Amino acid sequence: MSTTSKKNTLHKYFITTLLLIFTALCSLQLGTDLTLTQQWELVPSLLLGEQPDAFAGYLFSYAQLPRLAITLMIGAMLGLVGSLMQQLTQNPMMSPLTLGTSSGAWLALVIVNIWFPELIADYSAMAAMVGATLTMGLVLLIAGIRNLSGLPIVLSGMAVNILLGAVATAIILLNDQYAKNLFIWGAGDLTQNGWEQVQWLLPRLTVSILVLAIAPRVLALLRLGHQGAAARGLNVIPFFLLLIMGGLWLIASSITAVGVISFIGLLAPNIARTLGARTPKDELYFSMLLGALMLILTDSLAIGLSQLSADMIPSGTAAAAIGAPALIWFTRRKLQAQDQLAIQLPPSRDKLTRWTMPSLVFLIAALSALTLLLTQTDSNWQASLPTAFSWDVRWPRLLTALSAGAGLAVSGTVLQRLIYNPLASPDILGISAGSTFMLVGSSLAFGTTIFDAGNGIAFLGAMLVLAIILLLGRRHQFAPSMLILTGIALTAFIEALVQFALSRGTDDIYTILGWLAGSTYRATPTGAITLFIGVSIVIGIIFATSRWLTLISAGQAFAKARGLNVSPSFALLLACVALLCAMVTTTMGPVAFIGLLAPHIAVMMGAKTVKIQLATAALIGANLMIFADWLGQNIVYPSQIAAGTLVSVIGGIYFILLLIRGRMN
């Protein structure tokens, strides 16, 4: 290293360290009347184990100071592991979030908290480690070991995130007595009530010393390529696995202590490289420093906003609010030609058989009869005509499921044809999440129930997200990988905000939780009929304008040549998509994957033209939702699993299989 480079490196560390110290001291001034001098005078008594005389001193010694300590530790570890993963895989978008390991660790901890509470004290970190490791194995299986440096592994991690998130939500909803605490913890909470968490975490982070001792030389050799490293005597696979396991342990321990804090591990190494970190060792250390600085800044923002709003804002929510736009920015910068993702649908028939449509209609009738006539009791199954009471309960649920399935299937079909993307669907692109956020936000802001907000608010949220996605995706011609990553980043941001709303622990939490799962449980006769009429009208409009969709599907230039005014036609069809999502979300909550699944199945069955695909997808969507609703009512009887949750699990598995198929092709 030249003398100039050494000087620049020293300046970089010196300035960042000064910033870190300054930020840490500023954070200690938030929410206290003690001056820095008074705080400093309390430190000796704290070290000697003496209790402060005043409440302010006690607050500093057992809340502020341990919070600062754990923030420094977690931030540094997130930066270190993010840099380690990015250097090992040569992928600047790799992080515990994008790899899905955070979700795996969270799901494992949810399971332990609910079903094995006696193991929490001794084995929680180990459980999180197992969850993170299994998740990483699954992601590698989906993406392939040779795709570590491209976008496929990031997309695979995000798909696993969605699937594991749905499973965790289902578990929490079935055990709602744990809901509030789990959501606060899941949102990433750095609040401390003593030094116990710091004392628990500190020895577990000593693994980082081993990582820092081994990693620089291994990473330096890996920059020569696997063959080059092997030629210089490095046994690549064992060292790779050792370092990955070390990183997973550090992440699992951090999540166990404070919950999920996203994006720091992604951003810190990228900023470190932008600021001149060149060698592996330099990047590791500088990422640690930046990670600690970024988390202190984020935590200070969360504390400041909490004081202004009188609500506790988890630091994980603040990190997501900052990190999601940054993920979009990095995505746009880093997308390269080789990162274009090719997705191919499974083989399909040339055209529908003449029995397909009647069979789907018959299946809807059969499932409807099953829902209305077959019930489960404590001892057995019973087939009988519904009583007046059970009829009044069941038919609104049936009609709601039918309308929601058909509406989302049609919206997915229109979206996939409009932007030429077989992976487009309202939930994956974040459109449903936009409606969800607006409904939850308006409910919290105006003190109304979530069901009073109405379709207009949900429509506004859906259109806002749709506009952002189209604006950002235009530069890359709506490339599948770009759109999905943009949608996922938006969804992560919106979900973090929703999770913050849930962590407030108000009386509405269980209502919101049930609604978020996509349940027909609260469907009313008026709501069901309104949804059915609304969905029917919008689908009717889409059918009436199907020629526009046919022409645009063949290319916008082709559509213009045929005399179609593309822009207003495009806007009207997109508005129909947003309206369908808004109506369904308002009535039964967010429902994922129907908009992806149904159009694909329709094409595989031979529905190639626009009208045929719309009709077939609508019938398939209705069938899926009715079946999921019936299954959810009976699979864990007398409890219930929301139809939306079951569909998410089924659709998540399908999405993963689709990615595996794309890789194999």
Side-chain angles (χ1 to χ4, degrees), residues 5-87:
S5 296
K6 284 182 180 177
K7 282 184 179 177
N8 289 338
T9 302
L10 286 174
H11 285 158
K12 180 178 69 185
Y13 278 92
F14 179 70
I15 292 171
T16 310
T17 305
L18 278 183
L19 273 175
L20 180 65
I21 294 171
F22 176 73
T23 311
L25 293 176
C26 288
S27 75
L28 289 175
Q29 295 304 299
L30 293 172
T32 181
D33 296 328
L34 295 177
T35 64
L36 273 178
T37 307
Q38 290 171 319
Q39 290 176 345
W40 179 252
E41 290 171 354
L42 285 169
V43 174
S45 59
L46 177 65
L47 293 174
L48 294 172
E50 298 172 0
Q51 297 295 325
D53 297 330
F55 175 74
Y58 198 87
L59 185 70
F60 170 76
S61 301
Y62 294 99
Q64 287 182 290
L65 214 49
R67 180 170 185 152
L68 176 63
I70 209 161
T71 302
L72 284 169
M73 291 157 62
I74 298 286
M77 289 306 106
L78 291 174
L80 171 64
V81 176
S83 174
L84 180 68
M85 288 185 169
Q86 290 181 15
Q87 292 193 67

Side-chain angles (χ1 to χ4, degrees), residues 217-274:
R217 180 175 176 273
V218 175
L219 295 174
L221 289 174
L222 282 176
R223 289 190 175 187
L224 303 173
H226 285 194
Q227 290 183 345
R232 283 163 175 76
L234 179 68
N235 201 344
V236 175
I237 299 298
F239 278 104
F240 183 90
L241 292 176
L242 177 67
L243 291 175
I244 282 289
M245 295 304 288
L248 290 181
W249 171 259
L250 294 173
I251 287 300
S253 301
S254 301
I255 289 177
T256 306
V258 301
V260 180
I261 295 180
S262 310
F263 294 109
I264 300 290
L266 172 69
L267 297 180
N270 278 288
I271 296 174
R273 285 190 291 274
T274 304

Side-chain angles (χ1 to χ4, degrees), residues 578-651:
L579 197 51
L580 285 171
C581 292
M583 286 189 292
V584 173
T585 307
T586 304
T587 307
M588 65 173 291
V591 179
F593 287 116
I594 288 285
L596 178 78
L597 215 57
H600 286 191
I601 296 175
V603 170
M604 285 187 278
M605 294 173 81
K608 299 296 175 64
T609 63
V610 168
K611 278 188 177 179
I612 297 294
Q613 190 188 5
L614 286 171
T616 311
L619 292 173
I620 292 169
N623 270 302
L624 283 171
M625 278 304 298
I626 294 172
F627 177 69
D629 193 39
W630 176 82
L631 189 64
Q633 293 177 45
N634 294 285
I635 193 171
V636 290
Y637 182 86
S639 299
Q640 295 188 26
I641 298 178
T645 301
L646 277 181
V647 169
S648 293
V649 173
I650 296 169

Side-chain angles (χ1 to χ4, degrees), residues 440-655:
V440 174
S442 65
S443 147
L444 294 170
F446 302 114
T448 58
T449 70
I450 202 162
F451 304 103
D452 294 334
N455 290 326
I457 295 291
F459 178 68
L460 183 63
M463 283 301 292
L464 187 63
V465 171
L466 198 52
I468 292 172
I469 287 173
L470 293 176
L471 189 66
L472 296 176
R474 187 181 296 274
R475 177 181 168 188
H476 294 281
Q477 289 78 46
F478 305 114
S481 44
M482 168 60 66
L483 280 179
I484 290 172
L485 284 172
T486 304
I488 285 171
L490 287 171
T491 303
F493 172 57
I494 291 166
E495 284 182 350
L497 294 177
V498 171
Q499 205 161 34
F500 153 65
L502 294 173
S503 68
R504 298 174 62 190
T506 60
D507 294 338
D508 292 335
I509 183 171
Y510 296 109
T511 306
I512 296 174
L513 276 173
W515 177 82
L516 280 174
S519 173
T520 60
Y521 179 71
R522 295 180 184 276
T524 62
T526 306
I529 291 172
T530 305
L531 178 65
F532 178 75
I533 294 173
V535 167
S536 300
I537 292 173
V538 177
I539 290 179
I541 294 171
I542 292 172
F543 266 92
T545 57
S546 60
R547 179 176 171 273
W548 301 354
L549 193 55
T550 302
L551 292 173
I552 294 175
S553 300
Q556 294 198 10
F558 176 79
K560 285 179 184 173
R562 291 302 180 99
L564 179 69
N565 196 345
V566 172
S567 296
S569 309
F570 196 84
L572 177 63
L573 289 168
L574 283 180
C576 288
V577 169
L579 197 51
L580 285 171
C581 292
M583 286 189 292
V584 173
T585 307
T586 304
T587 307
M588 65 173 291
V591 179
F593 287 116
I594 288 285
L596 178 78
L597 215 57
H600 286 191
I601 296 175
V603 170
M604 285 187 278
M605 294 173 81
K608 299 296 175 64
T609 63
V610 168
K611 278 188 177 179
I612 297 294
Q613 190 188 5
L614 286 171
T616 311
L619 292 173
I620 292 169
N623 270 302
L624 283 171
M625 278 304 298
I626 294 172
F627 177 69
D629 193 39
W630 176 82
L631 189 64
Q633 293 177 45
N634 294 285
I635 193 171
V636 290
Y637 182 86
S639 299
Q640 295 188 26
I641 298 178
T645 301
L646 277 181
V647 169
S648 293
V649 173
I650 296 169
I653 294 170
Y654 172 79
F655 187 49

Side-chain angles (χ1 to χ4, degrees), residues 186-233:
D189 182 22
L190 292 167
T191 305
Q192 299 297 307
N193 296 312
W195 289 90
E196 290 80 9
Q197 289 281 40
V198 175
Q199 291 168 350
W200 179 88
L201 184 60
L202 193 57
R204 287 163 177 80
L205 297 189
T206 53
V207 173
S208 60
I209 298 173
L210 179 68
V211 171
L212 287 170
I214 297 175
R217 180 175 176 273
V218 175
L219 295 174
L221 289 174
L222 282 176
R223 289 190 175 187
L224 303 173
H226 285 194
Q227 290 183 345
R232 283 163 175 76

